[in-house]
């Protein structure tokens, strides 16, 4: 999930909102202002302006509550040595972009449980504040009781035991701890995630016949959960399969390289002949950089014959490079982050080979086929 608008940084983590969040903000403000606050027993008898202001305040507070929940996950992740790139708020809540999976069931448990604990804590604070007002019916108490309930729901919903919800991660950590088999734990927790997702979908559709269109909202959340469950499952299987294997195992050392004085025309011919999408450039035994097809896009075809490749390659300093001993999960992270299709492997500045997406896929295919 890419943020459309970056708000700033907290604890070194970039905080952003996705465009879909604006829809939920408007929708929520509207439904609170028109449907929720004017009800008898909530805050009847106010002007429309008051309702709209309270609606907007409550929606913004909900945004802060979701952010606090996500920060709970992210801060515990950082404490466990796992970098967190950003937090993005979107239509169904928030998502922390945690760079890799926890290495142990204990770390997984602590990371997963931190978010709901923040929500339950906030709920307790708002309930306490509400009751300390002596249950008066005014604007402040109406907002407080709303926030108390909404944080409680946020905590309870996220603790449902279906992966990738927080409760599903807690469940996965428990199965992982018991069976010592991470893949099996992920499979079981993701199965529970699918089951819960389908309960939401069918429950939501059934509810739509009883209470009207708002039941479909539940079905929509279920549909989102179902796709998140299968995507997260695939992602964990991939990263579990790659984890523990070093770059040296899959690296392709039989790569044609070129010197910096080659012309672009000659380099192109070389790449075509050897079906290479990238050409590592070596000078005096050192890796200077890479020529890729995208470097060629900016060069006029007429100059291919006269231009040396050294003038258009992406220099080593601006490339992400690997070491022979790096873990394949790191390769996956870097490719995901940068969009590069191949990465050079170096040893003290000397070129050893390339790792491409295709190399990773081949390795995965073999590994998954060999699995019982
Ligand atoms: Zn959470």
């Amino acid at each position: 999930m890419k943020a459309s608008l970056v708000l700033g940084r907290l604890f070194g983590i970039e905080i952003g909102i996705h465009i879909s969040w604006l829809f939920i903000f408007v929708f929520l403000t509207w439904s609170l202002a028109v449907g929720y606050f004017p009800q008898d027993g909530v805050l009847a008898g106010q002007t429309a302006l008051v309702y709209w202001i309270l609606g907007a305040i409550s929606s913004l507070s909900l945004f802060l509550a979701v952010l606090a929940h996500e920060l709970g996950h992210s801060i515990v992740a950082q404490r466990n040595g796992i970098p967190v790139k950003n937090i993005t708020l979107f239509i169904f809540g928030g998502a922390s972009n945690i760079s890799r999976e926890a290495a142990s069931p204990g770390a997984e448990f602590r990371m997963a449980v931190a978010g709901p604990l923040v929500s339950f804590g906030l709920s307790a604070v708002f309930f306490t504040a509400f009751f300390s007002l002596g249950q008066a019916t005014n604007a402040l108490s109406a907002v407080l009781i709303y926030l108390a309930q909404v944080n409680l729901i946020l905590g309870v919903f996220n603790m449902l035991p279906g992966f990738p919800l927080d409760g599903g991660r807690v469940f996965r950590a428990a199965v992982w701890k018991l069976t010592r088999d991470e893949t099996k734990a992920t499979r079981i927790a993701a199965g529970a995630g699918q089951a819960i997702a389908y309960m939401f979908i069918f429950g939501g559709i059934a509810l739509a016949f009883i209470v009207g269109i708002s039941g479909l909202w539940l079905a929509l959340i279920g549909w989102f959960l179902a796709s998140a469950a299968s995507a997260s499952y695939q992602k964990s299987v991939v990263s579990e399969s790659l984890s523990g294997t070093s770059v040296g195992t899959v690296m392709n050392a039989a790569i044609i390289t070129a010197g910096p004085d080659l012309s672009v025309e000659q380099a192109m011919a070389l790449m075509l002949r050897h079906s290479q999408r990238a050409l590592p450039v070596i000078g005096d035994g050192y890796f200077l950089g890479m020529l890729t097809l995208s470097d060629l896009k900016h060069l006029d075809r007429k100059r291919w014959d006269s231009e040396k490749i050294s003038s258009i390659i992406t220099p080593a300093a601006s490339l992400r490079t690997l070491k022979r001993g790096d873990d394949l999960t790191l390769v996956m992270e870097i490719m995901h982050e940068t969009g590069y299709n191949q990465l050079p492997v170096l040893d003290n500045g000397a070129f050893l080979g390339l790792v491409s997406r295709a190399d990773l896929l081949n390795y995965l295919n073999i590994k998954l086929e060999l699995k019982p």
Side-chain angles (χ1 to χ4, degrees):
M1 181 89 36
K2 261 215 153 21
S4 320
L5 182 63
V6 175
L7 301 180
R9 284 183 169 271
L10 272 176
F11 302 96
I13 302 162
E14 186 187 281
I15 312 290
I17 53 180
H18 184 257
I19 185 84
S20 62
W21 181 82
L22 293 173
F23 291 104
I24 197 67
F25 176 72
V26 172
F27 176 77
L28 191 65
T29 303
W30 167 76
S31 62
L32 287 171
V34 174
Y36 179 72
F37 284 121
Q39 291 178 99
D40 281 329
V42 182
L43 190 67
Q46 306 287 324
T47 62
L49 180 66
V50 170
Y51 289 136
W52 277 96
I53 291 172
L54 292 182
I57 290 174
S58 304
S59 300
L60 273 178
S61 306
L62 177 59
F63 154 79
L64 291 174
V66 171
L67 184 59
H69 174 110
E70 290 305 322
L71 277 173
H73 291 305
S74 295
I75 290 168
V76 175
Q78 285 182 329
R79 287 246 171 105
N80 282 280
I82 301 174
V84 180
K85 285 186 204 92
N86 54 52
I87 293 176
T88 304
L89 296 146
F90 69 113
I91 190 161
F92 293 120
S96 301
N97 187 355
I98 293 173
S99 64
R100 56 174 178 269
E101 304 261 327
S104 70
E108 168 89 341
F109 173 80
R110 289 189 296 275
M111 270 161 62
V113 92
L117 281 182
V118 169
S119 299
F120 289 133
L122 284 173
S123 175
V125 168
F126 288 122
F127 268 121
T128 309
F130 171 75
F131 286 115
S132 72
L133 290 177
Q135 282 158 286
T137 336
N138 55 36
L140 179 62
S141 69
V143 171
L144 285 176
I145 192 68
Y146 170 75
L147 290 175
Q149 289 165 344
V150 120
N151 276 290
L152 184 64
I153 293 169
L154 208 58
V156 170
F157 171 76
N158 277 292
M159 279 310 284
L160 290 175
F163 188 76
L165 289 173
D166 302 333
R169 289 186 174 275
V170 168
F171 179 40
R172 179 170 89 133
V175 180
W176 184 4
K177 176 98 183 164
L178 285 173
T179 61
R180 289 159 200 274
D181 185 342
E182 190 184 0
T183 314
K184 191 177 181 182
T186 308
R187 195 171 58 234
I188 293 172
Q194 294 283 4
I196 287 172
Y198 284 110
M199 269 160 51
F200 270 75
I201 294 174
F202 293 120
I205 293 170
L207 205 63
F209 285 107
I210 306 164
V211 300
I213 203 81
S214 62
L216 289 181
W217 192 241
L218 203 63
L220 203 61
I221 292 175
W223 170 78
F224 168 73
L225 270 182
S227 58
S230 77
S232 309
Y233 174 61
Q234 281 163 15
K235 196 171 163 236
S236 335
V237 169
V238 167
S239 91
E240 282 157 27
S241 306
L242 295 179
S243 155
T245 306
S246 69
V247 161
T249 318
V250 302
M251 174 184 87
N252 184 359
I255 290 285
I256 303 296
T257 62
D261 295 331
L262 217 60
S263 76
V264 174
E265 188 81 55
Q266 288 169 313
M268 270 307 287
L270 207 56
M271 285 162 85
L272 280 173
R273 187 155 8 109
H274 296 280
S275 350
Q276 268 180 218
R277 297 171 59 87
L279 189 65
V281 180
I282 317 288
D284 294 330
Y286 286 99
F287 175 71
L288 301 178
M290 266 216 300
L291 180 71
T292 61
L293 296 178
S294 55
D295 295 320
L296 286 167
K297 281 181 194 146
H298 311 289
L299 186 70
D300 189 353
R301 232 213 118 114
K302 289 189 203 99
R303 288 169 53 202
W304 280 20
D305 204 25
S306 56
E307 198 81 35
K308 285 181 180 175
I309 53 173
S310 55
S311 63
I312 64 162
I313 57 171
T314 309
S318 47
L319 280 170
R320 295 287 292 269
T321 62
L322 300 167
K323 289 195 280 290
R324 191 197 282 273
D326 284 339
D327 197 84
L328 290 188
T329 49
L330 177 73
V331 181
M332 192 175 76
E333 273 166 41
I334 296 176
M335 284 182 173
H336 178 72
E337 198 181 304
T338 60
Y340 292 150
N341 288 308
Q342 59 271 310
L343 297 167
V345 186
L346 305 184
D347 180 24
N348 282 322
F351 179 77
L352 299 178
L354 281 184
V355 175
S356 68
R357 268 179 214 270
D359 296 329
L360 281 191
L361 277 178
N362 283 336
Y363 177 78
L364 260 181
N365 274 335
I366 294 168
K367 187 137 188 200
L368 291 175
E369 260 179 50
L370 288 176
K371 258 197 181 157

